[in-house]
Structure formats: C-alpha cells, structure tokens
Amino acid sequence: MRAPTSRETRWLIVAALVVLWELLPRLGLIPTLFLPPLSMTAVALWTAGPEYLSHLGVTLREVGVALVFACGGGIACGIALGSSARFRKLLLPVVSSAYAIPLVVLYPLFTAWFGIGEPSKVVFAAVYGFLPTLLGAAAGVQTIDRGLIVTAKSMGATRVQQIVHVLLPATMPTVLSSLRIGGALVVVGVVVAEMLMSTAGIGFLISRYRTMLDSPKVFAAILLVLALAIVFDLLVQTAERRFLKKGRGDAAAQPQG
C-alpha cells in the first residue's frame, strides 16, 4: 500500500478538521457558544449573505490599498536598502528593531493621527505588512551573486537599470516569499483595525456579533477572513510557479558553451 502524497495528506487533514468542527459541538464535547457546528456557521453566512458581502467589499478595498503601499513600497525600499552597504548598515538594524514592536499597541496613535475612518486602518495595515516585506527583499538582495552587479556596471548600466534588470529578477523568489508574509499581515492588520475601532468591514462584524454572543455569525466572518488569506496566498503561489517555470525555460533556451 503506497503512502499518501503530501497533497493527499493536506486534503485529509482539511477533511478531518471539517468533520471535527461539525461533530464536536454536535456531540456536546465543545459548547456551541465557543464553537458552533460548521453547518450552523454556513447557514448563518448564507442567510446574512448580503450583509457579509457589503462589509467584505469594504475590507477588500482597504486590503487592496494597503497592499500597494506595504508590498510595493516594501519591495522597492528593501531592494534599494539591501543594495547599498552604507544605508544597509545604518538603517537595517533600526528596521529590524521596529519590526519587533507589537504594532497593535500603537493603533490608538494611528487613530489620533488619521481619524477612526478608513485612512487609519489602511495606514496601520500598510505599516504592519511593510516591515517584513522590506526585510525579506533586503535579505534577498544580499544573497545574489555580486558578479552580476559588477558585470552590469561594466556594461554601463545605471543604478535604476541595475535594480530593474539585475537585482529584482535575481531576488524574485525571496521577494515573493516576503510578499506572502507581508500580504498576510496586511489582511490581519486590516481586520484587527476593524475590530478595534470601525463601523464597517469584516472585523467590525466579528466584534459586533461577539458582543451579541452570536457565535455562528462570528465564525462566518472568520471563515471569510480565512478565505481571503487563502486566496491571496494561492495567487502568490501561482506567481512563484510561473516565475520559476519562466526561469527554467530561459535557462534551457540559452545556448550551451
């Protein structure tokens, strides 16, 4: 009998969790207040679908804007920082120390600076995802072959051309890995900010139904957050596979010396 593959094992684990989620509350092993059955959660999500979709749209908009600043800015700043020895030695320890700070405790400052509306949530989530993305991109730059930079300089490439045509392609696997971490933290940052102080969004629904002790609707909102994070991770994985496939294709197309 052959051993199950890693893909089959993952699906077995998911199936087991789904079954346990349904059975444990049904059998009274876990109070439904703490964990409602999956079927009850699905019914709550279906019956209140329009409300969830409306608030999901708010969360998606905030996540999208925050991703642009967190991941786009983090990648650009990380490559620029990692490619400069002077600024790397000066700023990288500061950024690493800032990443160790629990940013959640600073959210009241964001609301004081940007108000309790959407800007504070976007800025908070952007900062939450910016730091790990920057650190990952900077680490990726330091792992590439320095001979590539020397060759580009000898061919007269400008600083921008070195970044676009040498550094970014060479660090793309590390950049995509940091993008997965930073993007996931952006989703977490938006939802946490909505839970703390907001009148719209999936995090707001979690906080509201929690105070009402409506566990099925709380877990329905949690399912949407989980689905959002999984979709983002799958998109990044698809980009990783396409980049690796393209890299292998380019390498195979090169003439052999």
Side-chain angles (χ1 to χ4, degrees), residues 107-193:
Y107 184 67
L109 293 178
F110 287 91
T111 59
W113 294 337
F114 302 100
I116 62 173
E118 186 171 312
S120 62
K121 293 181 286 184
V122 170
V123 173
F124 173 75
V127 174
Y128 208 58
F130 174 83
L131 295 178
T133 306
L134 185 152
L135 291 172
V141 172
Q142 298 176 59
T143 61
I144 69 173
D145 185 0
R146 309 312 297 179
L148 296 174
I149 302 296
V150 175
T151 302
K153 289 181 178 179
S154 65
M155 297 176 64
T158 64
R159 185 63 173 171
V160 175
Q161 290 174 331
Q162 294 173 33
I163 292 176
V164 174
H165 299 291
V166 179
L167 293 178
L168 187 57
T171 59
M172 188 57 67
T174 306
V175 165
L176 289 175
S177 297
S178 64
L179 180 63
R180 293 175 67 178
I181 299 174
L185 289 178
V186 165
V187 176
V188 172
V190 167
V191 174
V192 167

Side-chain angles (χ1 to χ4, degrees), residues 186-215:
V186 165
V187 176
V188 172
V190 167
V191 174
V192 167
E194 290 173 345
M195 292 177 63
L196 292 176
M197 192 174 297
S198 179
T199 58
I202 297 300
F204 164 72
L205 290 181
I206 293 175
S207 181
R208 185 176 73 177
Y209 288 124
R210 179 192 60 194
T211 58
M212 298 169 60
L213 301 181
D214 194 339
S215 296

Side-chain angles (χ1 to χ4, degrees), residues 71-89:
C71 297
I75 291 172
C77 293
I79 291 177
L81 184 63
S83 60
S84 174
R86 178 187 303 175
F87 288 107
R88 183 171 64 247
K89 294 178 181 179

Side-chain angles (χ1 to χ4, degrees), residues 91-101 131 135:
L91 298 178
L92 203 57
V94 178
V95 177
S96 300
S97 300
Y99 184 46
I101 299 174
L131 295 178
L135 291 172

